[in-house]
Amino acid sequence: MTDTLCYLDGDYLPLAAARISPLDRGFLFGDGAYEVIPVYSRRPFRIGEHLARLQYTLDGIRLPNPHTAAEWRERVERIVAAAPFADQSVYLQVTRGADDKRDHAFPPGVPPTVFIFTAPLTTTPDSVRAAGVAAVTALDNRWLRCDLKVVALLANVLARQHAVDQGCAETILLRDGFMIEGAASNIFVVKDGVLLAPPKDHRMLPGITYDVVLELAAGHGVPHQVREIPEAELRAADEVWMTSSTKEVLAITTLDGRPVGGGVPGPLAQRMHGWYQRFKDEVMRRG
Ligand code: PDD
């Protein structure tokens, strides 16, 4: 992995050779934005949407975008082409750069730090997909701009570790009695054949996979509602799914130690997984 090519501030170099300043504001303050883009057969999936969300985050943290969308694509394509694996997860990050001192306020005239690297896409083993995964709940103690994909992820890190400590795959975050999202995923609920999704607002990350799932639901005539989901509805759900660029659509079959629905992936989760795979294949074939 460490000899794969990465991009850092204008240079292409082996990942192991990349160096940044300890005064970088990403390191000191978590002052930056990032994206994770899945790549199938060396083709980035929904890169336009990922780059639009990056722009949204950069606008939200008042950091000028150092590159046009075309420049981003060109850099990502070069990293993807050089990797020795075809299915990848591309990570890109922009921070507010390294000043010569530590001061919270924005440093004038400091160029941003731009970093891109790729890793093999880790897919969910069939046995795990067939059984579904376990999740726990926790109170959401993050800030009120969870719609921004920023590198300051400590609350998400602690929430995810809370799941791992209990042998679970994800922590579902609850705020003011409502289900918000997972530590690193969006969450869907199915009740009586209706797919429910929480609304995209400042409390959750507007997932690219979330959008694909809702498009597929609409396209296949699945009844669905985008609205607040009270905790009680989460606990009474027939199905609960987590979605993300790397997990795709994954059924949660145990919540806080109790089975979700029948305790196995539900019928709609299985159909959505199939539609998602077909959709991906079609998009990748079209290019
Ligand atoms: N995380 N919500 C949170 C808090 C996330 O971190 C993610 C993804 C999602 C799903 O977004 P998308 O469908 O666009 O991947 C929702 C990425 C994968 C990560 O941080 O590694």
Side-chain angles (χ1 to χ4, degrees):
M1 239 281 288
T2 50
D3 58 356
T4 58
L5 200 67
C6 76
Y7 174 89
L8 181 63
D9 295 335
D11 294 324
Y12 293 87
L13 71 173
L15 184 55
R19 296 284 178 273
I20 60 159
S21 163
L23 290 181
D24 193 278
R25 294 175 62 91
F27 182 58
L28 294 179
F29 298 114
D31 185 359
Y34 79 104
E35 278 296 325
V36 177
I37 308 173
V39 173
Y40 305 104
S41 306
R42 291 211 162 71
R43 285 162 178 250
F45 182 66
R46 292 226 152 178
I47 186 169
E49 286 81 351
H50 282 278
L51 293 176
R53 186 172 63 184
L54 176 68
Q55 185 65 58
Y56 177 80
T57 300
L58 291 171
D59 290 345
I61 66 170
R62 299 168 56 191
L63 178 53
N65 193 336
H67 298 306
T68 63
E71 289 167 349
W72 278 114
R73 281 174 189 265
E74 191 191 309
R75 283 156 179 74
V76 167
E77 271 161 27
R78 186 149 161 202
I79 296 297
V80 165
F85 32 81
D87 288 350
Q88 310 177 23
S89 161
V90 169
Y91 178 89
L92 56 90
Q93 172 173 323
V94 187
T95 76
R96 213 179 304 272
D99 198 2
D100 56 2
K101 58 182 178 306
R102 180 181 175 277
D103 180 1
H104 289 60
F106 300 171
V110 168
T113 303
V114 178
F115 174 55
I116 309 174
F117 84 105
T118 189
L121 185 69
T122 43
T123 49
T124 306
D126 287 345
S127 57
V128 173
R129 185 166 290 288
V133 296
V136 287
T137 56
L139 293 183
D140 193 348
N141 57 13
R142 299 174 300 164
W143 71 335
L144 292 175
R145 290 309 307 272
C146 293
D147 53 330
L148 302 177
K149 201 162 176 65
V150 292
V151 295
L153 283 173
L154 188 53
N156 302 66
V157 165
L158 291 172
R160 225 332 245 133
Q161 188 59 37
H162 176 68
V164 170
D165 288 345
Q166 296 168 74
C168 294
E170 185 58 303
T171 293
I172 299 181
L173 300 168
L174 308 169
R175 195 192 282 274
D176 302 327
F178 294 105
M179 194 281 288
I180 305 297
E181 65 174 339
S185 61
N186 290 115
I187 304 291
F188 288 80
V189 160
V190 178
K191 185 67 182 175
D192 297 329
V194 180
L195 179 63
L196 303 175
K200 286 200 272 192
D201 62 19
H202 62 281
R203 294 168 301 173
M204 71 166 228
L205 188 79
I208 306 299
T209 321
Y210 166 104
D211 283 343
V212 175
V213 165
L214 285 178
E215 284 168 35
L216 289 170
H220 288 88
V222 175
H224 58 282
Q225 295 171 8
V226 175
R227 61 162 172 80
E228 302 274 17
I229 302 175
E231 180 182 343
E233 253 183 311
L234 169 70
R235 299 201 184 278
D238 298 327
E239 300 185 27
V240 178
W241 315 340
M242 58 189 280
T243 69
S244 78
S245 292
T246 47
K247 295 285 186 294
E248 301 185 339
V249 180
L250 188 57
I252 291 171
T253 46
T254 310
L255 185 61
D256 290 333
R258 284 182 289 276
V260 175
V264 292
L268 198 50
Q270 296 184 46
R271 285 163 67 206
M272 184 57 76
H273 172 66
W275 293 332
Y276 196 88
Q277 299 311 311
R278 274 218 299 284
F279 177 75
K280 242 169 53 182
D281 291 347
E282 275 165 33
V283 171
M284 294 301 117
R285 255 203 314 278
R286 279 204 307 269

